[in-house]
């Protein structure tokens, strides 16, 4: 990803980045805003959701854990096995075979140096999103029954229809969650599960109308999903 022209910046709602200072902000200007919105977009249409190249980052500081972010930027791994938009990379298997992912169509995130990753993470962690989007302290970190909540995740609420909780679960249309505990902040997870459309009005993840207890349990369960190196 290279420098993008001014019209591209305006389309992403990032014209204000020109007033930013510091190496991290400069790095976002040069390498990130071509694919990611780092300020809340004015355009929240379905067309924009369909065409965007990467997830919005204007609330990255309330979403990601910094340690994970710095490590991932240095050695990016696949988070969305079906790409940013599943339908754009799936192709028919032919002769009655199941559909498959065309891996040649998947975008590869560039690697950053250790210094660049630290600078980018510092700038991204400053992006907290608008007030009220993610309630700080909403997750209460109460004890959970691991086996029951795993069933709640996989069967009762159907999360595994789109998300993988294990590395060998196969292709999923949504981002993997087997590193959710490393990657994501608890309050963000709870807020997103509660109302995905608050983050994007046209996002296809359903609003499940979960009761407060189930929201706490699912968030607590996902916090336990960490990479093998962390266990």
């Amino acid at each position: 990803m290279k420098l993008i022209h001014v019209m591209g910046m305006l389309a992403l709602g990032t014209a204000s980045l020109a007033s930013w200072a510091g190496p991290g902000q400069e790095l976002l200007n040069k390498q990130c805003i071509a694919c990611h919105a780092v300020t809340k977009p004015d355009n929240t249409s379905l067309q924009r959701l369909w065409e965007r190249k990467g997830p919005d980052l204007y609330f990255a500081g309330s979403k990601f854990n910094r340690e994970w972010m710095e490590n991932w930027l240095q050695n990016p791994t696949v988070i969305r096995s079906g790409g940013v938009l599943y339908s754009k990379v799936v192709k028919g298997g032919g002769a009655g075979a199941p559909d498959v992912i065309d891996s040649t169509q998947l975008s590869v995130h560039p690697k950053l140096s250790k210094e660049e990753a630290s600078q980018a993470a510092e700038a991204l962690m400053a992006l907290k999103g608008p007030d009220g989007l993610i309630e700080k302290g909403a997750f209460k970190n109460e004890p959970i029954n691991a086996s029951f909540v795993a069933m709640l995740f996989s069967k009762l609420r159907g999360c595994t229809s789109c998300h993988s909780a294990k590395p060998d679960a196969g292709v999923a249309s949504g981002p993997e969650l087997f590193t959710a505990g490393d990657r994501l902040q608890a309050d963000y997870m709870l807020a997103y599960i509660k109302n995905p459309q608050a983050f994007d009005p046209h996002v296809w993840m359903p609003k499940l109308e979960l009761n407060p207890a189930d929201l706490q349990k699912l968030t607590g369960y996902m916090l336990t999903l960490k990479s093998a190196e962390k266990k």
Side-chain angles (χ1 to χ4, degrees), residues 36-87:
H36 303 279
V38 296
T39 60
K40 186 177 181 180
D42 294 327
N43 178 7
T44 58
S45 67
L46 178 61
Q47 185 68 21
R48 176 188 173 270
L49 180 65
W50 188 265
E51 294 177 349
R52 70 182 181 183
K53 297 178 182 179
D56 294 341
L57 295 178
Y58 66 90
F59 48 87
S62 298
K63 176 180 180 179
F64 297 113
N65 293 314
R66 176 163 180 164
E67 180 183 2
W68 174 88
M69 188 188 300
E70 287 194 38
N71 291 332
W72 190 87
L73 288 171
Q74 295 173 69
N75 186 29
T77 56
V78 174
I79 295 175
R80 293 169 175 80
S81 58
V84 175
L85 193 61
Y86 186 82
S87 63

Side-chain angles (χ1 to χ4, degrees), residues 147-162:
S147 59
F148 171 77
V149 181
M151 183 172 64
L152 182 70
F153 178 89
S154 62
K155 295 183 178 181
L156 301 181
R157 296 307 181 190
C159 303
T160 50
S161 296
C162 299

Side-chain angles (χ1 to χ4, degrees), residues 2 24 35 43 74 87 121 138 141 148 155 173 177 186 218:
K2 303 297 183 182
C35 297
N43 178 7
Q74 295 173 69
S87 63
N141 198 22
F148 171 77
K155 295 183 178 181
S173 59
L177 293 178
L218 283 172

Side-chain angles (χ1 to χ4, degrees), residues 52-188:
R52 70 182 181 183
K53 297 178 182 179
D56 294 341
L57 295 178
Y58 66 90
F59 48 87
S62 298
K63 176 180 180 179
F64 297 113
N65 293 314
R66 176 163 180 164
E67 180 183 2
W68 174 88
M69 188 188 300
E70 287 194 38
N71 291 332
W72 190 87
L73 288 171
Q74 295 173 69
N75 186 29
T77 56
V78 174
I79 295 175
R80 293 169 175 80
S81 58
V84 175
L85 193 61
Y86 186 82
S87 63
K88 290 188 175 183
V89 297
V90 68
K91 65 180 182 180
D99 293 346
V100 295
I101 293 295
D102 182 0
S103 59
T104 65
Q105 299 301 312
L106 294 174
S107 299
V108 178
H109 196 282
K111 290 185 177 183
L112 301 184
S113 68
K114 183 176 181 180
E115 180 180 9
E116 289 173 331
S118 178
Q119 293 170 351
E122 181 178 6
L124 288 169
M125 291 305 294
L127 305 179
K128 301 298 186 180
D131 291 342
L133 182 64
I134 299 169
E135 180 186 351
K136 188 173 182 180
F139 176 64
K140 306 305 180 186
N141 198 22
E142 298 169 346
I144 60 172
N145 182 315
S147 59
F148 171 77
V149 181
M151 183 172 64
L152 182 70
F153 178 89
S154 62
K155 295 183 178 181
L156 301 181
R157 296 307 181 190
C159 303
T160 50
S161 296
C162 299
H163 303 280
S164 53
K166 297 179 180 179
D168 57 353
V171 173
S173 59
E176 58 87 349
L177 293 178
F178 51 81
T179 64
D182 296 324
R183 185 168 83 246
L184 303 172
Q185 296 181 34
D187 289 338
Y188 162 78

